[in-house]
Amino acid sequence: MILREKYLAEIRGFYHSDLVKIITGVRRCGKSCVLEQIREELSRTTDNLVSLDFDDRIATSDIQTWHDIVYWVQKTRKEGPCYVFLDEVQEIDGWANACRALRRENCSVFITGSNSKLLSREFTKELSGRYVSFRIRPFIYMEAREYALQLQREFSVLDYVIWGGFPKRLEFATLQEQRRYLSDLNETIITNDLINRYGIRKREEFRKVVNFLLISNSRIYSAKSISDYMLGNGINASPNTVQKWIGYLENAYIIDEIGRYSRKARRELKQSRKIYNCDVSLNSIRCKDNRYDLTHNLKNIVYNELMYRGFTVTVYDNNGKEVDFLAEKAGKRYFIQVAWSVVENKAWEREFGAFAGLPTYDRKILITNDETDYSTSAIEHIKLVDFLQSTSL
């Protein structure tokens, strides 16, 4: 597995803190590997480390309650500061009690979990502010490329635009095997992490709404518009129900919602937002006849890349012309349009026209898959592969 230094750099300053370190993220995005890399770093300076992986219930079968966790650490640890790693800790009822108890015993506690019980906002209440959380995402392009090279697999930008960056899928040699893995992962997330966790009774309706949402990534939506669409297809799901279900997907880090900022109104528009998938494979596995949604997946991976790089992102309504992203960081603003190609005149006019009237002092960027450089004096055109491989933006 590759070293995920970006995340380690964020967490490193908290290694010795008494705050509980929560490693969050969608299922199978690489949280356990990050936890192991933290453990490996600390092992260079101390051997006072205790690890429990509750995903392996054979190895941890003797631990049934939170009291058992505390007892196991007490009998295993050495004198002095101890570092405790609890992987998939949500499997144990009352896990937060164990974290609180261990904090008081000179332990630095690191935890992960992969269902919505831990990934949701519930841990805010459970740990009463005595935590710091770090979200891990599936691989961005350069991470996926590095891991593919490590595995001696062929890898391309197109492969990433379609099949995304869930780490495990890169370990399978054939597309059939990868699709099978991703489909099974999707089923586990939807059934175990959402339907079972929240006790959803309208299972079929929920699945259809989820399918619609995940295949509609990078598009404007409102809960009412989805409800109306579903009603037109024989599915009864009220706007309030749709919004509640969207919240479940957000809590499990399956999707992100971002707002739209109106230049004219000078405020965020609350009535409609955009949804981006945590990984574009959640769109592609729902496509039929290999008709993959390259355009919207492309926008989605640019969004994921911007979030990875630490930008604050909104959609920008430029007097009725939509700019895909207003990305802000360190006092700088970037207006970013994303398209598969602007070779055709209509596409060129649409994408470049979206920048009309924007402030001259803000950087304006067009990202496409075209080989030709379409830069102008005011707008910088960046090839997709160059954007994904750069670190300057």
Side-chain angles (χ1 to χ4, degrees):
M1 179 59 71
I2 66 170
L3 186 69
R4 304 195 77 179
E5 174 58 30
K6 185 262 186 187
Y7 299 112
L8 295 177
E10 292 178 356
I11 303 168
R12 203 170 275 130
F14 296 89
Y15 279 4
H16 313 297
S17 169
D18 68 342
L19 296 174
V20 177
K21 278 66 68 177
I22 303 178
I23 313 299
T24 67
V26 71
R27 185 181 288 268
R28 297 294 176 255
C29 67
K31 299 183 297 297
S32 297
C33 288
V34 171
L35 196 69
E36 179 56 32
Q37 289 172 8
I38 295 170
R39 188 183 186 284
E40 197 280 328
E41 276 196 4
L42 286 168
S43 71
R44 300 170 195 166
T45 56
T46 180
D47 62 352
N48 201 2
L49 308 167
V50 179
S51 298
L52 290 169
D53 180 3
F54 296 103
D55 199 31
D56 184 355
R57 292 307 282 145
I58 295 177
T60 58
S61 59
D62 291 340
I63 300 177
Q64 300 296 327
T65 71
W66 71 267
H67 297 279
D68 296 333
I69 296 176
V70 175
Y71 175 71
W72 180 271
V73 172
Q74 288 173 333
K75 76 174 185 178
T76 307
R77 66 176 293 182
K78 298 178 173 62
E79 290 295 324
C82 179
Y83 300 87
V84 179
F85 301 86
L86 306 175
D87 203 2
E88 306 291 349
V89 70
Q90 82 286 339
E91 297 296 331
I92 303 299
D93 288 338
W95 58 267
N97 293 327
C99 293
R100 284 191 287 267
L102 292 171
R103 284 183 60 246
R104 292 192 292 268
E105 297 190 17
N106 199 16
C107 292
S108 177
V109 181
F110 301 79
I111 66 175
T112 74
S114 52
N115 73 18
S116 55
K117 184 175 181 180
L118 182 59
L119 297 182
S120 74
R121 297 179 181 89
E122 288 182 3
F123 65 68
T124 304
K125 178 180 68 175
E126 294 282 359
L127 294 175
S128 304
R130 301 306 298 172
Y131 71 91
V132 58
S133 64
F134 304 91
R135 178 177 175 179
I136 310 301
R137 294 176 179 270
F139 284 158
I140 60 166
Y141 170 75
M142 287 301 288
E143 290 180 313
R145 181 173 177 270
E146 181 183 353
Y147 191 43
L149 290 173
Q150 190 179 100
L151 296 169
Q152 298 183 322
R153 304 270 192 225
E154 293 185 3
F155 192 70
S156 67
V157 171
L158 182 60
D159 177 87
Y160 183 72
V161 171
I162 297 174
W163 299 115
F166 276 114
K168 187 73 175 179
R169 75 99 178 166
L170 295 163
E171 298 175 10
F172 297 101
T174 69
L175 179 57
Q176 182 180 9
E177 291 168 343
Q178 292 185 28
R179 292 195 65 149
R180 177 64 178 270
Y181 168 75
L182 291 168
S183 295
D184 288 349
L185 174 59
N186 171 81
E187 180 60 26
T188 299
I189 291 171
I190 301 306
T191 300
N192 292 353
D193 294 353
L194 298 177
I195 292 177
N196 292 344
R197 164 67 181 93
Y198 290 106
I200 297 171
R201 295 178 181 177
K202 296 183 177 180
R203 292 191 169 208
E204 190 61 27
E205 291 88 342
F206 177 75
R207 286 180 180 277
K208 289 183 177 180
V209 170
V210 168
N211 287 339
F212 178 81
L213 287 166
L214 294 179
I215 209 167
S216 301
N217 56 329
S218 310
R219 295 169 175 85
I220 296 292
Y221 91 96
S222 69
K224 185 179 185 306
S225 67
I226 295 173
S227 175
D228 290 344
Y229 175 84
M230 289 296 157
L231 187 60
N233 286 272
I235 303 297
N236 187 12
S238 70
N240 286 340
T241 297
V242 169
Q243 193 59 58
K244 179 173 66 175
W245 289 349
I246 289 171
Y248 294 165
L249 291 167
E250 281 193 285
N251 284 346
Y253 296 111
I254 298 165
I255 62 170
D256 289 346
E257 286 187 283
I258 69 170
R260 297 170 64 216
Y261 183 87
S262 170
R263 177 186 176 191
K264 185 176 182 179
R266 296 177 182 270
R267 60 181 174 82
E268 187 173 312
L269 302 175
K270 300 293 186 182
Q271 69 272 21
S272 59
R273 301 169 71 80
K274 269 195 177 183
I275 282 179
Y276 290 92
N277 297 343
C278 68
D279 190 80
V280 294
S281 65
L282 296 175
N283 176 306
S284 297
I285 61 172
R286 289 171 165 81
C287 293
K288 297 180 180 179
D289 302 322
N290 297 331
R291 298 182 65 182
Y292 303 117
D293 192 351
L294 300 179
T295 297
H296 290 97
N297 278 3
L298 177 57
K299 294 176 187 287
N300 205 139
I301 65 171
V302 170
Y303 167 80
N304 288 341
E305 187 78 31
L306 291 170
M307 297 305 293
Y308 176 88
R309 298 184 190 186
F311 284 91
T312 299
V313 177
T314 54
V315 183
Y316 193 80
D317 183 343
N318 184 18
N319 292 332
K321 296 180 178 180
E322 181 183 293
V323 179
D324 289 318
F325 304 112
L326 168 57
E328 301 178 86
K329 186 171 71 171
K332 295 182 179 180
R333 303 203 310 172
Y334 304 82
F335 290 97
I336 302 172
Q337 277 290 88
V338 183
W340 187 257
S341 173
V342 290
V343 170
E344 300 295 330
N345 287 336
K346 286 186 178 180
W348 191 96
E349 291 169 2
R350 180 183 64 249
E351 303 302 333
F352 279 86
F355 294 112
L358 293 176
T360 57
Y361 46 80
D362 291 319
R363 192 170 165 190
K364 301 167 196 65
I365 297 170
L366 172 66
I367 300 171
T368 80
N369 200 45
D370 296 312
E371 287 297 319
T372 303
D373 185 355
Y374 290 103
S375 297
T376 69
S377 59
I379 300 168
E380 179 183 359
H381 175 226
I382 301 178
K383 299 175 187 178
L384 174 62
V385 66
D386 292 339
F387 169 75
L388 295 176
Q389 293 179 352
S390 71
T391 57
S392 58
L393 175 61

